[in-house]
Amino acid sequence: MTIQLYGFWRSNAAFRVRVALALKNLAFEEIDIDILSGRQFDADYAEVNPEHVVPTLVHDGRLVFQSLAIVEYLDEIKPEPRLLPAGAAERAYARSLAMILAADAHPLTVPRVRKYLGQALDADKAAIESWCRHWTTEGLSTYERLLTRRPPAPFALGTTPTIADISIAGQVALADVYRMDLTAFPAVAALAKRCFAVPAFADAHPFQQPGYKTSGEAR
Ligand SMILES: N[C@@H](CCC(=O)N[C@@H](CS)C(=O)NCC(=O)O)C(=O)O
């Protein structure tokens, strides 16, 4: 089987797929699409992903889009270790936790939204950063309330990481990109620490990607 991942060091959605691939021990080649320079609109990539976003997974020539759909696809082609728990209620809870990041918090901070804020609404760099930190804080706060109500044991749904942990760690990776402090979110911080102790998570972090080191954002 051959797997390619179109991604980018800073892409939170690509992070989710990178972790899933690594947890499942699936080898892949990552192809960088620099979404900050507008490479997602190049004709060759538009052929691959007509939405002009990363990630896109290519599995034996088949294209799969949308990070959560990709994670579920990987769970079906290689069921172990399970990234979606058994049982309808647990699976629904795992998906709910995943969508807090993927459907609610993260989409408000992607480049096309930041670009629109700047170009159409005249927001300056500081206002755009503040917007991104606000929506990232909303995601962290929701996760903190949920993890307090149902404490991780030791991962969000039990003994092994699932799509829920990938998403909570992804929310923290987003906070890292915006240089945010997690002191107000102790349950999230503790779970993220547990996740990032696992190489599949640690190696997928934006700051561990080769593109980060050459991005000019490395500090
Ligand atoms: N819901 C999509 C999000 C895809 C997305 O917005 N990706 C961002 C990077 S994290 C992107 O490529 N943005 C390009 C842009 O906004 O122009 C997923 O989970 O895959």
Side-chain angles (χ1 to χ4, degrees), residues 132-148:
C132 291
R133 288 201 179 91
H134 171 79
W135 294 113
T136 302
T137 301
E138 287 292 298
L140 291 168
S141 304
T142 304
Y143 280 136
E144 185 68 21
R145 288 192 293 276
L146 285 162
L147 295 181
T148 304

Side-chain angles (χ1 to χ4, degrees), residues 11-13 16 35 40 52-55 66-67 102 106 110-112:
S11 164
N12 199 268
R16 291 165 221 154
I35 56 173
Q40 67 272 38
H52 309 296
V53 296
V54 293
Q66 288 286 342
S67 59
H106 169 243
V110 294
R112 59 194 176 283

